[in-house]
Amino acid sequence: MEACTDFLDLLDFDISLKILTYLEDPSDLVRVSSVSQSWRNFVIANGLWKQLCLRMFPQLSRVAHVIGLNKCRATEPVEAGSSHSKEWESLERNDRGYALLARACTSFIVRDCISEAISASSTDNYPEESIDNTLAALRASYWSSKGQSNPEVPERLTYKLADDFCVITEINIRPFQAYFQRGEPIYSAKDVRFRMGHLKGPTDVGNDLLGDLSPVSADDKFIWTYTSQEFPMAQESRLQKFKLPEPVLCVGGILQIELLGRVQRQEMDGLFYTCMSYVQVMGRLLSPTFGVEILEPSGKFVLEIKNNTLVEFQPQPNIPSADQLERRFRDLQHIAYIGNILQGNVVVDMDEFEMGEEEANLS
């Protein structure tokens, strides 16, 4: 034990830094910072927590500076003099802030992050078929686009997330099946793509700006900082999961779903429609531990650390699983279908209700 030495003292500085930047798990960097005061100073002085966060979330390259944590303990490194005390306080603040952020992004509970629907690029029958219907998980309702003769015309659904600062991991979408039309067609899209960003105006008047949005002007109000790849969508009436290749840090709390291409023509008018019955955005909300202030017109933002410890939202109560949602959707479709039959809105071929030999045996 007497022969043990500190490799940070023995190795060249660049080699030591290279070794420690290979750490990808936040818990490993926590251990490194706990080895000794000199190792902790090395982590702080070289911004290793910030480098780790930047590898996890490139969106953090737009951080102008970190504020908060004024009460964090200041520990001057051995080699630093009093003339560098303010610089060291800034380094410690960054260290603490990015350390909290890295841990929050990997430990907070995953939950549905949608707060409200903002606008759809088109709506066939408003408000009966509005975008608001896509937030009702357990109701037989849906959003429908306007009909188009060109199947390549895209549609866009824009939502406000529950937090201006959150990590998004996957988006789940259920195409609508028109159980009241002959053949029960499914109005899915060919592909789907996701964009995240923030309002162009100040965040403190965000709600006012959102209230003034129309489908035509919606895109003019936003700055998109992330655009995903295109994911193929199946023409199936089920909750389809689109997992992002890497978790995405959404700064500004705006998400847009681009529905690219149409696959189903409506028999009644011969036009192509896109219809969705449910949208779910899964991720982690980072408030109230963190806050952001977007700086216009640069697009950079201030990262505010509001608490020295991680503060998690309480889990959402009674959130149904994907299988429970599917069963509930099917039940609601059957009930709505029967209601349309009783109201005379659906012409029923009674042959469909003739019991086959196998079903008769089961009964």
Side-chain angles (χ1 to χ4, degrees):
M1 292 298 293
E2 291 77 7
C4 290
T5 55
D6 188 339
F7 82 81
L8 291 183
D9 293 332
L10 296 178
L11 297 178
D12 179 77
F13 168 80
D14 292 335
I15 295 178
S16 299
L17 184 61
K18 186 70 173 179
I19 292 172
L20 293 183
T21 53
Y22 275 113
L23 299 176
E24 296 182 351
D25 190 327
S27 61
D28 290 335
L29 202 50
V30 169
R31 296 186 184 99
V32 167
S33 300
S34 303
V35 169
S36 66
Q37 186 62 54
S38 63
W39 281 46
R40 171 170 164 74
N41 290 341
F42 189 91
V43 170
I44 295 173
N46 294 284
L48 294 187
W49 276 111
K50 180 178 181 179
Q51 293 185 48
L52 175 63
C53 286
L54 283 171
R55 292 196 299 273
M56 294 171 61
F57 304 107
Q59 297 82 16
L60 288 171
S61 62
R62 296 190 297 117
V63 172
H65 56 272
V66 178
I67 63 174
L69 297 177
N70 294 327
K71 297 181 180 179
C72 71
R73 181 172 57 92
T75 55
E76 287 285 332
V78 175
E79 66 273 14
S82 60
S83 61
H84 300 102
S85 60
K86 289 187 177 181
E87 179 183 357
W88 185 254
E89 287 177 7
S90 177
L91 290 172
E92 273 208 313
R93 184 165 56 249
N94 286 347
D95 174 83
R96 178 64 170 168
Y98 284 110
L100 279 170
L101 182 59
R103 291 160 57 199
C105 291
T106 55
S107 61
F108 276 11
I109 296 172
V110 174
R111 52 163 287 174
D112 189 354
C113 294
I114 286 186
S115 171
E116 60 183 293
I118 297 176
S119 67
S121 51
S122 76
T123 301
D124 189 33
N125 295 303
Y126 186 86
E128 290 81 5
E129 298 174 343
S130 77
I131 184 177
D132 292 327
N133 293 335
T134 62
L135 302 183
L138 302 179
R139 198 172 69 209
S141 58
Y142 61 95
W143 160 83
S144 173
S145 71
K146 289 186 177 296
Q148 296 285 346
S149 57
N150 179 4
E152 299 305 316
V153 175
E155 293 288 345
R156 297 178 300 278
L157 303 177
T158 307
Y159 299 89
K160 187 178 187 304
L161 302 180
D163 192 0
D164 287 340
F165 196 45
C166 52
V167 176
I168 303 302
T169 56
E170 70 179 41
I171 294 93
N172 305 323
I173 307 174
R174 192 177 198 275
F176 176 67
Q177 182 172 18
Y179 46 83
F180 47 82
Q181 295 180 0
R182 189 167 66 175
E184 300 186 357
I186 300 172
Y187 291 92
S188 64
K190 290 181 180 178
D191 300 284
V192 62
R193 181 168 58 201
F194 309 107
R195 298 198 287 181
M196 300 182 207
H198 58 84
L199 284 161
K200 288 183 179 179
T203 55
D204 58 346
V205 294
N207 291 333
D208 294 335
L209 287 174
L210 294 180
D212 295 335
L213 289 178
S214 66
V216 177
S217 65
D219 270 356
D220 296 333
K221 299 287 188 180
F222 303 115
I223 294 176
W224 304 113
T225 56
Y226 170 82
T227 301
S228 76
Q229 67 193 69
E230 294 183 14
F231 298 87
M233 176 177 279
Q235 192 177 12
E236 299 175 6
S237 179
R238 59 178 174 82
L239 193 63
Q240 301 184 32
K241 297 186 177 183
F242 302 97
K243 187 174 181 62
L244 301 176
E246 299 290 343
V248 176
L249 191 66
C250 181
V251 181
I254 302 296
L255 178 136
Q256 185 176 89
I257 298 174
E258 295 182 282
L259 302 165
L260 308 173
R262 303 159 188 248
V263 298
Q264 183 62 52
R265 190 193 300 268
Q266 182 174 255
E267 184 179 32
M268 183 182 301
D269 57 13
L271 299 178
F272 289 91
Y273 289 80
T274 303
C275 306
M276 301 294 146
S277 60
Y278 184 55
V279 171
Q280 183 184 56
V281 178
M282 302 304 295
R284 297 178 171 94
L285 304 181
L286 299 179
S287 67
T289 302
F290 303 92
V292 292
E293 178 186 353
I294 298 173
L295 305 175
E296 298 293 356
S298 67
K300 291 183 176 296
F301 65 94
V302 176
L303 176 61
E304 182 180 2
I305 315 301
K306 297 182 177 180
N307 293 283
N308 286 330
T309 56
L310 298 179
V311 180
E312 168 67 295
F313 274 112
Q314 292 298 316
Q316 293 169 301
N318 303 322
I319 300 177
S321 67
D323 290 339
Q324 289 173 325
L325 284 174
E326 284 303 307
R327 288 194 295 270
R328 183 61 172 160
F329 271 123
R330 287 195 295 269
D331 292 343
L332 289 171
Q333 282 188 335
H334 292 155
I335 293 171
Y337 185 63
I338 294 172
N340 275 280
I341 293 175
L342 295 176
Q343 294 174 15
N345 298 329
V346 179
V347 178
V348 180
D349 184 355
M350 295 307 297
D351 290 339
E352 296 179 2
F353 292 90
E354 291 184 358
M355 186 177 296
E357 182 178 346
E358 182 178 346
E359 293 176 296
N361 291 333
L362 290 174
S363 63

